[in-house]
Amino acid sequence: MQNKNKAHDNILALIGNTPLVRLKNIVNGFKGTFYAKVEALNPGHSSKDRIALHIIEEAERQGILSKGDTIIETTSGNTGFSIAMVSIIKGYECILAVSSKSSQDKIDMLRAMGAKVYVCPAHVSADDPRSYYQVAKRLHEETKGSIYINQYFNELNTDAHYKSTGPEIWEQTNGEITHLVACSGTGGTISGTARYLKEQNPEIKIIGVDAFGSVLKKYHETGEFDSNEIYPYRIEGLGKNLIPSATDFEVIDEFIKVSDEESAHRAREISKTEGIFAGYTCGAVMQAVKQLHEQGVFDDKSNVVAIFPDHGSRYMSKIYSDEWMEAQGFLNDSTVEETPKVQV
Ligand code: PMP
C-alpha cells in the first residue's frame, strides 16, 4: 500500500534544496546584495551529502555496488560523514582514511556514524605511503567488493553540483546572480555549480577561495604546479597540495587567497551577526567577499552568492574555542576588528 502521509522515506530524501539566505549585518556598508547558500542544512550538515549520494547511486546504477560492499574514501571529515550516513541507509560498510589535521570532533562523529577510521599524518606528500591518499588506495586494493570514491579525481563529484547546487542557485536568485564566491578543495562544488551557471549566463563571475599554503591559485594563473607554494595551514577542506581533476579551472575566473586568522574571525562574526552557526570555510568565503568588496569588485547591482559549506558545531574545539584561538595567536592581534552591531 502506498504511504500517503507526509513523512520522508529516510533521511537521504532531505539532501539538497538547501536555502539561500540574505546576509545583512556582516555585509553592512558593502555595495550589492549578498546571499549565503547554507549547506549546513543538508541532513549530514555539509555540501558533501550531495556528492556522497550521487556517486554511490551512480555506482549502484552501473551495478558496481551491492549490499554489504565497502565504500572507501579519503576525507577531511565532511565527505566521510556523508558517505557514512548514506552507507547506513543503503547497507554498505564505510572505511575512511582521514588527515591528522581533522578536528577530533569530526573523527569522533565519523566513528559515531559507524565508519572505520584510519588517521594519517597531514604533512606528508600525496605520494608518501603514509598519506591518506595512499592508505585509501591500499585499503581499496586489499578489500574485496570495495569502491574508492576518490573525490579529488572523480568527475561525478563535479557532476553532483552541476545537477543540484547550480540549478538551485539559478532558480533561487531568479537568474539574477552576478557573482559566485565558493571555496575550492576538491573543486567539485565550485566547478559543477559554475559550469551550470555559466551555461545559463556566461557573464556570471566565478571566484574561487584558496588558502595560503595551497597550489590552486598559482596553478590557475600560470598552469604550473609550484611545490614552493605548499606549507602547512589550519583551515580544513580549503585549498590543496595537488591539482584535483575534479576542479574545472576553465569555469573559474579568479582565485583569491584568505588567511587562517581572518577566516576564523569571519566565521565567528557570521555566527554572531547573522545567527548562522558557521564552519571555518564559511568564514573563509566571507573573508574573500570582504576582500573583494575592499577591491571594489561589487557595485549596487551585484547579486553575490557565497556558498557556506558546513556547520559551526564541527569546530567547537577549534575556531569556537578561545583557548585554541589564543594558542594560534589569533586573539592577540590588535588589527582584529570588533564584531559589528546587528542592525534591526
Ligand atoms: N569546506 C569544507 C569544510 C570542506 O570539507 C570542503 C571539502 N573538502 C570544502 C569547503 C570545499 O569543497 P570542494 O571539495 O567541493 O571544493
Side-chain angles (χ1 to χ4, degrees):
M1 206 177 80
Q2 213 188 341
N3 188 352
K4 288 241 170 57
N5 71 27
K6 295 204 172 112
H8 295 284
D9 197 32
N10 62 54
I11 197 74
L12 306 185
L14 296 172
I15 293 176
N17 291 312
T18 54
L20 192 70
V21 179
R22 174 96 185 261
L23 300 172
K24 292 198 181 132
N25 304 307
I26 199 164
V27 291
N28 190 16
F30 291 20
K31 280 187 177 159
T33 309
F34 296 82
Y35 302 92
K37 179 79 168 152
V38 185
E39 289 294 288
L41 291 170
N42 280 295
H45 303 155
S46 87
S47 55
K48 295 298 182 176
D49 283 2
R50 298 173 188 270
I51 76 162
L53 186 65
H54 185 60
I55 294 171
I56 290 169
E57 291 197 333
E58 194 54 37
E60 288 173 339
R61 272 192 285 276
Q62 290 175 18
I64 302 168
L65 267 181
S66 43
K67 250 202 176 61
D69 280 352
T70 302
I71 302 172
I72 298 173
E73 182 53 328
T74 55
T75 171
S76 68
N78 283 329
T79 308
F81 190 91
S82 300
I83 294 170
M85 185 179 76
V86 176
S87 299
I88 289 166
I89 301 300
K90 289 178 171 286
Y92 302 119
E93 297 295 321
C94 174
I95 298 183
L96 304 166
V98 314
S99 156
S100 57
K101 200 166 77 168
S102 303
S103 63
Q104 190 59 42
D105 319 354
K106 281 186 175 181
I107 293 167
D108 290 344
M109 274 198 292
L110 299 176
R111 293 190 170 133
M113 293 296 279
K116 195 165 178 186
V117 183
Y118 292 81
V119 181
C120 309
H123 307 309
V124 296
S125 71
D127 53 9
D128 187 299
R130 294 165 299 166
S131 79
Y132 54 101
Y133 308 108
Q134 299 306 328
V135 169
K137 251 196 211 158
R138 181 171 53 75
L139 288 168
H140 174 45
E141 283 157 15
E142 289 171 0
T143 311
K144 254 180 92 182
S146 67
I147 67 159
Y148 176 26
I149 298 272
N150 204 5
Q151 60 173 334
Y152 290 90
F153 298 95
N154 191 334
E155 181 53 34
L156 290 171
N157 168 2
T158 314
D159 194 48
H161 293 285
Y162 176 82
K163 294 210 166 97
S164 64
T165 320
E168 287 171 28
I169 291 174
W170 182 250
E171 203 203 310
Q172 287 168 321
T173 59
N174 286 325
E176 286 168 358
I177 174 176
T178 58
H179 298 77
L180 176 76
V181 188
C183 292
S184 204
T186 67
T189 307
I190 189 166
S191 305
T193 307
R195 195 180 286 163
Y196 181 86
L197 292 175
K198 289 248 186 195
E199 278 175 14
Q200 314 312 308
N201 176 6
E203 299 299 312
I204 298 170
K205 287 279 167 283
I206 309 295
I207 298 127
V209 184
D210 191 17
F212 289 104
S214 154
V215 296
L216 300 177
K217 178 174 162 67
K218 180 127 186 216
Y219 180 78
H220 183 248
E221 286 165 4
T222 65
E224 274 163 41
F225 175 84
D226 183 356
S227 58
N228 292 322
E229 292 281 298
I230 301 171
Y231 54 86
Y233 56 91
R234 297 180 187 86
I235 311 181
E236 299 159 36
L238 176 68
K240 217 56 227 167
N241 58 356
L242 50 74
I243 307 299
S245 68
T247 309
D248 181 354
F249 287 88
E250 296 281 309
V251 293
I252 301 167
D253 293 296
E254 179 194 342
F255 275 95
I256 183 164
K257 288 209 180 203
V258 294
S259 74
D260 288 336
E261 178 170 2
E262 288 172 308
S263 300
H265 283 289
R266 287 296 84 69
R268 289 163 69 116
E269 194 181 331
I270 295 166
S271 303
K272 286 210 171 112
T273 62
E274 302 289 343
I276 300 170
F277 195 18
Y280 203 166
T281 52
C282 304
V285 80
M286 212 52 235
Q287 176 59 24
V289 166
K290 184 170 189 260
Q291 289 171 205
L292 291 162
H293 154 72
E294 285 161 0
Q295 289 168 19
V297 168
F298 306 127
D299 61 30
D300 290 335
K301 293 200 183 100
S302 297
N303 281 312
V304 183
V305 174
I307 299 183
F308 283 5
D310 75 352
H311 197 256
S313 60
R314 295 200 166 157
Y315 305 90
M316 290 311 294
S317 59
K318 294 208 166 174
I319 58 171
Y320 293 106
S321 153
D322 284 350
E323 290 71 31
W324 185 85
M325 290 288 281
E326 192 134 26
Q328 316 308 312
F330 290 176
L331 288 186
N332 308 322
D333 187 344
S334 58
T335 63
V336 171
E337 288 172 24
E338 283 203 15
T339 304
K341 289 216 164 47
V342 174
Q343 287 195 324
V344 190

